[in-house]
């Protein structure tokens, strides 16, 4: 009896939706180059004058199961999955705000009430659930006493307060929620979970019963809570179609006699579309008023419907889209989608979006010309939705590549200018900024550095800053100076804030494919923005610029904000000091210095950084007079080998437990004060409250002190002359090393004693070789005064913007203990807490899978005052040069992976940092 669609495999007929949930990485790059945020699409083009544009991928959200249904409210994306959960994402931050344990079977249909207070979900478990969209609790669970099979679709009439469902057993059924108190109580045994299942429970050949499929261990649980409602047998339309009821929607203004009246439209496996009148006086009962057929003898199944005004669009299995005029009930157009079977249709902004088996979205204009085609998913696209969010046209797709993609389709409607400096605009500018390969350490990218600098300068100029490129000694990258003048009426009290940052980045090649995408095209995934430099330091710079502009737009910028953004920080700020000294007058006076180039201690608690270590980088070279030799032919005890000499002097630098043996090295270092000790116990207390697995607070404090307030030495690499084989005695051997310095040590003095020490140790070897020590670059340590006004203002801003900090106890978080066990270290020597042990799991693994055991706890609202082990050469220099105190706001989280593969910044950290800067630029008092 049923007219099953092509890829049928019993029992549901939608097997194709249900298997193949094996995660595969979508590889196609859907982002665009910086020259144009919108690029021409090759191939078939609309005849219209408008150029074809590919929508910009705003964000991709990953899950571990197929996405079968989507609906978008003004604040959230709701996604129904093959595993029965309904995922809820914030449209502002793309954070996953909830995972609703929705159903025991695949979620096949979703819809919202008109006021968006209610969410309806239908599923393969034969149940329709009704959810509160504020707290995601279940209000009702509706079931039929019939064996309805899969419930493919659900619609809700807000006027009649009636839920309509379309099912596999060809029926349409309905429930008027106003009658929930007057209808008889359901009997517990008639609920589907207690009934025999026609497919699973009937005896097979030989009379053997197939056991019922159980949800996997740890998988979605049955939803709980709310009232159970039974569909009355009288509120059912059997054989609504001669096939499965695949899709349904409610439309208004179709019936000419009453334009406000709603009608129900359903599409079925029989290839027919039916229009139904709703009988308000009779419990919302449906009466067929029309039947739309395209004249084929055997219709292909209608899988999806969309309506816009009085036009109805229907999508079929073979890539066919029919356009119907609902006023005349005529088929006005027959489109052939390039996208293979059409599984989902959406309309909005004057466009029709079709998608399906090929993973391609095809966009038609009102003349039914193809405007764009783009690969949205690697595999099937199973669901889509269109919504105008904050005046922004947004298109969302979901597929069996287990991802949801959010597209900016802003060419649909031009956004009003008042929204132009929204966070989305900030992210677009950041995307362009990231696209410049501003790698300062590689001369090949000198041109890219220049272009990146001039792009940034154009951002400043567009926002009305007076800008200047400060030249540095060739070949170093220029420094950008940009001045935003505060309200001239306040000239006497106008304070001057200097924001320091750097536009250069660490190299990222992605030759081994370890990056999740191209490091130089910003990629939004699971609430995080990925790209080289996004956290160090391009994202924070962009947030600060937009914050100044926010104040300008509100006419609330009373201070002068001066940006100094250099392009050599990752190479030790070459040329910066001279450039600043040569332009002192142009830069002018400064009251406060602010920078934002570090990270929180973990992924949850906001921090303020008041100290950084200094650093000196040195190269130690031993050269002999003889050429590269062969160890068999020439090796002899009489020969002074360069690599051996080098190792012998390097070995003198360090004693047991990392003690540096350079005489006088530790002398200037001050002992820890009582106040500082208190800060450490505050930090460990807070960290342990959030991550109790971190263990002993004393060990944790010691490991932090080692990184923040104690010096360290690292030998980075060796280099030798000659061919790379094991018989060579190299003529020359070289090592590069660095020393991290702490307050009260000065880099010049340490450079001197290091050089002297190496030479005196080398002399003891009485070698014929020559030793050369070169200091490559150096940076002074910095210790800020965290009692001053700028820290106080930052602290208040952080508390306002971040609010109470939720502490998540994530069971999967790596702990000190488990890390040391994994590496087989003995308990007597604990491994130090590193940024990765404090981060909430590694970057790649995070985001997929959720922690059911997590219990939100509220931690102290105050930011943690921390120091950092890293260095920023310019900060102490700027303090001295301008006689102004500096403060450091870390924007990123511990898991940002700066300098590593997959550097990222949480979108929420970016936008909240913008708010914090805004408050600080506004509220900072005069010194
Ligand atoms: N953002 C870092 C500094 C930093 C590192 C802060 C770790 C907090 C934690 C900066 O961009 C950087 O990489 N600095 C270099 C400076 C060096 C090249 C002179 C560093 O620390 O190695
Ligand atoms: Mn860096």
């Amino acid at each position: 009896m049923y007219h099953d669609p092509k890829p049928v495999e019993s029992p549901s007929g939608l097997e194709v939706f249900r298997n193949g949930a094996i995660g595969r990485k979508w590889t196609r790059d859907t982002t665009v180059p910086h020259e144009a945020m919108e690029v021409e699409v090759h191939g078939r083009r609309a005849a219209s004058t408008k150029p074809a544009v590919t929508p910009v991928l705003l964000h991709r959200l990953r899950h571990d199961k197929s996405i079968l249904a989507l609906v978008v409210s003004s604040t959230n994306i709701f996604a129904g999955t093959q595993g029965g959960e309904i995922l809820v994402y914030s449209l502002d931050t793309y954070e996953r705000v909830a995972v609703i344990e929705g159903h025991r079977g695949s979620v096949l249909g979703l819809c919202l009430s008109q006021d968006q207070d209610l969410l309806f979900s239908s599923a393969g478990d034969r149940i329709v659930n009704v959810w509160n969209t504020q707290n995601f609790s279940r209000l009702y669970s509706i079931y039929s006493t019939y064996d309805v099979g899969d419930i493919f679709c659900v619609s809700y009439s807000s006027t009649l307060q009636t839920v309509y469902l379309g099912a596999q057993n060809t029926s349409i059924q309905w429930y008027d929620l106003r009658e929930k108190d007057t209808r008889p109580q359901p009997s517990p045994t008639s609920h589907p979970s207690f009934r025999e299942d026609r497919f699973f429970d009937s005896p097979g050949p030989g009379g053997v019963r197939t056991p019922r499929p159980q949800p996997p261990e740890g998988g979605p649980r049955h939803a709980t809570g709310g009232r159970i409602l039974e569909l009355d047998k009288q509120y059912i339309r059997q054989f609504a179609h001669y096939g499965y009821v695949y899709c349904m929607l409610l439309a208004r203004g179709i019936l000419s006699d009453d334009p406000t009246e709603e009608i129900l439209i359903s599409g079925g496996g029989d290839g027919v579309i039916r229009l139904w009148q709703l009988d308000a006086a009779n419990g919302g009962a449906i009466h067929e008023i029309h039947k739309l057929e395209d004249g084929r003898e055997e219709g292909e199944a209608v899988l999806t419907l969309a309506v816009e005004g009085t036009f109805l669009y229907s999508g079929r299995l073979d890539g066919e889209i029919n356009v119907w005029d609902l006023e005349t009930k005529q088929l006005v157009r027959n489109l052939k989608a390039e996208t293979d079977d059409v599984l989902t249709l959406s309309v909005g902004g004057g466009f029709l979006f079709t998608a399906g088996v090929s993973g391609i979205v095809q966009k038609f204009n009102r003349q039914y010309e193809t405007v764009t085609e783009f690969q949205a998913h690697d595999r099937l696209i199973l669901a889509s939705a269109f919504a105008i969010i904050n005046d922004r046209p947004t298109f969302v797709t979901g597929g069996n590549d287990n991802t949801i993609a959010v597209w900016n389709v802003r060419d649909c409607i031009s956004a009003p200018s008042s929204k132009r400096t929204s966070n989305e605009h900030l992210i677009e500018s950041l995307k362009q900024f990231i696209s410049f390969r501003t790698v300062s350490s590689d001369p090949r990218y000198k041109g890219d550095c220049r272009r990146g600098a001039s792009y940034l300068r154009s951002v400043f100029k567009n926002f009305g800053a007076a800008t200047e490129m400060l030249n540095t000694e060739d070949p170093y990258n220029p420094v950008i100076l940009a001045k935003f003048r505060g309200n001239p009426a306040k000239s006497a009290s106008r304070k001057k804030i200097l924001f320091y940052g750097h536009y250069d980045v660490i190299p990222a090649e992605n030759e081994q494919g370890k990056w999740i995408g191209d490091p130089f095209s910003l990629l939004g995934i699971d609430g995080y923005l990925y790209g080289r430099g996004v956290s160090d330091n391009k994202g924070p710079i962009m947030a600060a610029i937009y914050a100044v502009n926010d104040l300008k737009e509100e006419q609330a910028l009373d201070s002068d904000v001066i940006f100094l953004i250099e392009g050599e920080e990752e190479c030790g700020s070459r040329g910066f000091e001279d450039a600043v000294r040569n332009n002192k007058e142009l830069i002018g006076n400064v009251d406060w210095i602010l920078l934002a180039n570090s990270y929180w201690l973990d992924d949850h608690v906001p921090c303020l950084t008041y100290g950084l270590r200094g650093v000196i980088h040195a190269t130690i070279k031993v050269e002999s007079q003889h050429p590269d030799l062969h160890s068999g032919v020439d090796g002899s005890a009489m020969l002074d080998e360069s690599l051996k000499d080098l190792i012998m002097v390097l070995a003198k630098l360090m004693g047991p437990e990392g003690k540096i043996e350079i005489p006088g090295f530790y002398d200037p270092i001050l002992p820890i004060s009582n106040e500082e000790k208190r800060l450490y116990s505050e930090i460990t207390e807070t960290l342990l409250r959030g991550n109790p697995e971190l263990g002993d607070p004393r060990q944790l404090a010691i490991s932090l002190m080692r990184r923040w307030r104690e010096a360290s030495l690292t030998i980075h690499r060796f280099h030798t002359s000659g061919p790379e084989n094991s018989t060579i005695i190299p003529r020359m051997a070289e090592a590069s090393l660095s020393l991290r310095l702490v307050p009260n040590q000065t880099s010049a003095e340490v450079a001197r004693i290091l050089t002297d020490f190496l030479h005196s140790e080398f002399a003891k070897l009485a070698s014929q070789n020559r030793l050369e020590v070169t200091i490559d670059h150096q940076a002074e340590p910095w210790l800020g005064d965290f009692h001053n006004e700028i820290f106080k203002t930052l602290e208040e801003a952080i508390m306002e913007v971040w609010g109470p900090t939720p502490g998540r106890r994530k069971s999967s978080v790596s702990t000190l203990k488990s890390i040391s066990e994994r590496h087989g270290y003995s308990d007597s020597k604990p491994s130090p807490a590193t940024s990765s042990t404090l981060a909430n799991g590694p970057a790649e693994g995070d985001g997929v899978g959720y922690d059911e055991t997590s219990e939100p706890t509220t931690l102290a609202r105050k930011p943690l005052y921390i120091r950092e082990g890293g260095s920023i050469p310019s900060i102490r220099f700027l303090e001295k040069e301008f006689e102004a105190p500096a403060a450091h706001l870390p924007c990123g989280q511990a898991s940002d992976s700066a300098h590593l593969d997959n550097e990222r910044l949480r979108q929420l950290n970016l936008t909240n940092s913008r708010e914090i800067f805004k408050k600080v630029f506004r509220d900072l008092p005069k010194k």
Side-chain angles (χ1 to χ4, degrees), residues 502 506 536-537 569-573 597-599 612 615 617 740 777-779 868-873 888 899:
H502 64 92
I506 289 289
D536 180 11
N537 179 223
E569 194 269 354
E570 300 294 5
C571 291
S573 297
N597 196 192
S598 60
Y599 324 96
L612 291 168
V615 68
H617 275 263
R740 296 283 166 172
H777 50 78
Q778 53 195 60
E868 271 293 358
S871 313
I872 296 173
H888 194 162
H899 291 215

Side-chain angles (χ1 to χ4, degrees), residues 173-474:
Q173 308 194 23
W174 55 95
Y175 194 102
D176 183 344
L177 290 175
R178 289 170 299 195
E179 289 184 13
K180 62 183 185 296
D181 297 323
T182 50
R183 290 207 193 164
Q185 287 301 302
S187 92
T189 48
S190 55
H191 195 268
S193 49
F194 294 99
R195 291 201 310 261
E196 295 271 289
D197 185 291
R198 201 149 33 115
F199 296 106
F200 293 119
D201 299 332
S202 55
V208 182
R209 280 182 173 216
T210 318
R212 250 179 189 227
Q214 288 299 315
E217 196 64 33
R221 291 193 295 261
H222 215 328
T224 51
R227 255 177 79 176
I228 293 176
L229 306 176
E230 191 177 284
L231 285 151
D232 197 293
K233 285 201 166 86
Q234 60 175 312
Y235 299 129
I236 179 165
R237 169 74 189 226
Q238 300 281 17
F239 312 117
H241 283 268
Y242 295 108
Y244 302 166
V245 182
Y246 278 124
C247 46
M248 263 178 1
L249 54 81
L250 282 159
R252 279 171 197 273
I254 309 302
L255 300 179
S256 43
D257 44 345
D258 182 3
T260 62
E261 191 181 334
E262 279 176 309
I263 62 160
L264 182 73
I265 306 173
S266 62
D270 52 358
V272 174
I273 297 164
R274 286 175 210 271
L275 312 189
W276 312 86
Q277 200 163 17
L278 311 183
D279 189 346
N282 185 19
I286 58 171
H287 304 294
E288 186 175 340
I289 44 174
H290 283 287
K291 183 172 154 190
L292 305 179
E293 277 174 300
D294 66 356
R296 295 211 213 170
E297 238 169 63
E298 180 125 345
E300 292 282 6
V302 176
L303 295 181
T304 172
L305 289 171
V307 74
E308 190 191 35
T310 55
F311 282 91
L312 176 74
Y313 304 92
S314 61
R316 295 176 186 277
L317 265 176
D318 55 358
E320 205 178 291
I321 300 150
N322 289 336
V323 185
W324 309 86
D325 180 346
L326 290 175
E327 280 174 323
T328 61
K329 321 290 180 301
Q330 275 173 324
L331 175 67
V332 290
R333 194 89 187 204
N334 197 343
L335 306 172
K336 184 79 182 162
E338 301 275 298
T339 51
D340 235 324
D341 296 350
V342 179
L343 302 176
T344 177
L345 289 174
S346 292
V347 276
F351 292 93
L352 168 69
F353 299 85
T354 75
V357 167
S358 62
I360 291 172
V361 171
Q362 195 170 351
K363 187 174 143 194
F364 295 89
N365 63 15
R366 287 220 159 96
Q367 291 72 47
Y368 306 114
E369 296 161 327
T370 302
V371 184
T372 320
E373 267 180 49
F374 59 99
Q375 187 81 35
H377 293 263
D378 253 6
R379 300 165 67 191
L380 312 185
I381 300 175
L382 301 169
S384 69
F386 181 94
I388 308 272
I389 314 290
N390 298 332
D391 297 323
R392 171 188 101 192
T394 308
F395 180 58
V396 186
T397 51
N400 73 341
D401 60 358
N402 303 343
T403 74
I404 299 161
V406 186
W407 305 92
N408 182 349
V409 284
R410 64 193 160 156
D411 59 312
C412 295
I413 301 166
S414 57
S417 55
S418 66
K419 294 285 169 191
R420 277 186 50 78
T421 47
S422 67
N423 282 327
E424 192 191 324
H425 196 262
L426 158 65
I427 292 163
E428 273 177 30
S429 300
L430 180 56
K431 189 186 182 93
Q432 296 208 45
F433 195 18
I434 294 289
S435 73
F436 296 93
R437 214 175 256 271
T438 52
V439 176
S440 52
S441 61
D442 189 337
R444 283 185 299 163
Y445 299 122
K446 201 169 144 56
D448 300 62
C449 290
R450 288 264 160 188
R451 281 189 288 275
S454 75
Y455 168 72
L456 186 61
R457 190 180 176 196
S458 75
V459 175
F460 282 119
K461 274 195 206 158
N462 289 343
F463 285 149
T467 69
E468 206 68 56
M469 283 285 195
L470 308 185
N471 279 332
T472 47
E473 188 193 326
D474 199 51

